[in-house]
Amino acid sequence: MGDFLQRHFASDNYSGICPEAWEAMEEANHGHSRSYGDDPWTLRATNLLRDLFETDCEVFFVFNGTAANSLALASCCQSYHSILCHELAHVETDECGAPEYFSNGTKLLLLPGENGKIAPAGIEATVKRRTDIHFPKPRAVSVTQATEVGTVYKPDELKAIWSKTKALDLKLHMDGARFANAVASLGVAPKEITWQSGVDVLCFGGTKNGMALGEAVVFFNRTMAREFEFRCKQAGQLASKMRFLSAPWVGMLKDGAWLRHASHANAMAQLMESKLREIPSVKILFPREANAVFAELPLAAIQALHAQGWLFYTFIGAGGCRLMCTWDTQPEDIERFVSELKR
Ligand SMILES: *Cc1c(COP(=O)(O)O)cnc(C)c1O
């Protein structure tokens, strides 16, 4: 089983670059162009994002999700503020303290919540628990869409969160590393689950959607974008050959590849879920709503699959095995995985 040909279920970032992103990068690779984002590809990608969200948002392209989240959150907060997020949020569990670091000390306040989602009541309770000068003042809420356990916030759930952030004077940040999968799952217009649900800033993931690298930081609240380019530069996130970071977005957005790939990944996860449900000793742990299936497998089965060379994680989120599908996952991959699991 050659690792170079086998597709895995560990993460959507195990996959390669999709053809649309690759071709756009190749097209951008002709002659010279202005640097640091002052090029036609970056302008076009920005305008395509404005078209997609049907609003005049401010857009910045950075290298990865940790930087996107950290810098976006830093632009919401002062060092004496705090940010409310789910206890499983990537900003808490997988970013090595970067949100706190780039915001010079803003504290993350962790909320529990069913299926990886925070609830409006939890926001209010956390904000009201301490309002004295000795405690960092809550200033923002961060939600992950799709969540770390593969579920999706519905528009109504986001609007209920918005009603709290509005009432409590909090900014709303969305970690959209898998935003495309959420849109594909809900079948909504992207605006409906972003600025029409009160999102001030979205970190829109390109990497897990099929690009080599890159995330777009999309500010719907344009005031918050003020001087963001300086934050990016200082953090080492301003690409000098920016066109190679932005051109893939053009490839993904111009004819809807971003949504096709996300829909495909979701459909593959649905197939995986339905196959796993046929096996009595397998327990599905969360509602499967995007491109991940979380399942409890017998320990011996996990060991046997790992021994056969299958790569998948067993420690993400709340435990269990995470089986993640991506733009190039094929039904045969799932058939093979499940038949080996059955054995
Ligand atoms: C992958 C991921 C990110 C981005 O991670 P990087 O490795 O920094 O690109 C952010 N949020 C979530 C929920 C993710 O799954």
Side-chain angles (χ1 to χ4, degrees):
M1 208 181 280
D3 194 50
F4 54 94
L5 279 179
Q6 189 184 356
R7 285 178 292 265
H8 294 282
F9 296 102
S11 178
D12 21 17
N13 64 21
Y14 272 47
S15 66
I17 305 167
C18 68
E20 295 85 354
W22 183 259
E23 280 155 25
M25 231 164 157
E26 201 161 15
E27 268 181 63
N29 193 28
H30 287 289
H32 285 209
S33 192
R34 287 177 191 271
S35 52
Y36 299 110
D38 197 13
D39 64 272
W41 289 96
T42 304
L43 180 64
R44 193 161 167 223
T46 300
N47 284 331
L48 282 167
L49 282 163
R50 289 177 179 146
D51 293 345
L52 181 73
F53 287 101
E54 303 176 64
T55 188
D56 190 21
C57 43
E58 288 274 11
V59 177
F60 302 85
F61 299 99
V62 298
F63 291 104
N64 63 27
T66 299
N69 284 333
S70 303
L71 298 175
L73 287 169
S75 70
C76 300
C77 296
Q78 298 289 336
S79 55
Y80 48 84
H81 284 142
S82 52
I83 298 159
L84 282 60
C85 66
H86 193 273
E87 59 193 357
L88 299 177
H90 197 271
V91 292
E92 158 69 8
T93 64
D94 286 286
E95 299 189 355
C96 197
E100 294 93 330
Y101 175 74
F102 282 108
S103 56
N104 296 308
T106 303
K107 188 180 174 74
L108 295 181
L109 301 179
L110 308 182
L111 276 61
E114 292 250 305
N115 295 327
K117 300 184 206 176
I118 54 177
I123 295 172
E124 177 148 9
T126 306
V127 170
K128 298 211 162 143
R129 193 172 63 211
R130 288 282 298 273
T131 53
D132 57 274
I133 201 166
H134 305 282
F135 194 76
K137 187 175 164 60
R139 178 40 49 88
V141 168
S142 175
V143 292
T144 311
Q145 178 76 316
T147 73
E148 282 77 6
V149 298
T151 57
V152 167
Y153 285 94
K154 316 258 176 319
D156 284 352
E157 293 174 313
L158 290 171
K159 289 192 173 94
I161 289 172
W162 184 22
S163 76
K164 292 296 177 197
T165 59
K166 243 188 316 199
L168 299 164
D169 190 23
L170 306 169
K171 301 278 191 274
L172 186 52
H173 161 262
M174 180 175 277
D175 174 350
R178 300 190 180 90
F179 181 75
N181 302 95
V183 173
S185 169
L186 293 165
V188 295
K191 66 179 173 185
E192 210 179 324
I193 53 167
T194 53
W195 59 273
Q196 288 188 342
S197 292
V199 173
D200 291 294
V201 56
L202 164 73
C203 297
F204 187 170
T207 310
K208 287 170 180 157
N209 192 215
M211 289 170 38
L213 76 169
E215 322 276 298
V217 183
V218 182
F219 284 94
F220 303 107
N221 179 339
R222 295 174 59 95
T223 319
M224 269 173 53
R226 195 166 163 254
E227 298 179 349
F228 193 74
E229 61 273 28
F230 289 90
R231 262 186 216 287
C232 289
K233 176 67 190 181
Q234 187 181 54
Q237 289 290 323
L238 177 65
S240 70
K241 287 189 180 175
M242 181 67 91
R243 70 185 190 277
F244 298 107
L245 210 53
S246 56
W249 282 98
V250 174
M252 298 299 271
L253 294 170
K254 69 178 183 200
D255 67 351
W258 70 283
L259 195 57
R260 271 198 312 280
H261 289 318
S263 303
H264 170 82
N266 291 359
M268 290 298 101
Q270 187 174 26
L271 178 65
M272 176 69 95
E273 181 200 5
S274 67
K275 299 264 172 214
L276 291 181
R277 283 197 187 278
E278 293 167 7
I279 308 173
S281 56
V282 172
K283 187 176 157 216
I284 303 294
L285 295 175
F286 299 101
R288 194 244 20 112
E289 294 171 350
N291 59 327
V293 182
F294 282 77
E296 213 171 86
L297 309 184
L299 187 59
I302 296 174
Q303 287 165 345
L305 287 164
H306 280 160
Q308 292 201 39
W310 288 102
L311 302 178
F312 57 92
Y313 294 134
T314 53
F315 57 84
I316 301 231
C321 299
R322 186 185 76 166
L323 303 169
M324 187 64 83
C325 297
T326 182
W327 68 270
D328 68 346
T329 303
Q330 296 303 310
E332 308 85 87
D333 303 329
I334 293 163
E335 298 286 352
R336 210 154 51 80
F337 181 86
V338 172
S339 76
E340 282 171 22
L341 167 61
K342 281 179 176 161
R343 261 218 307 280

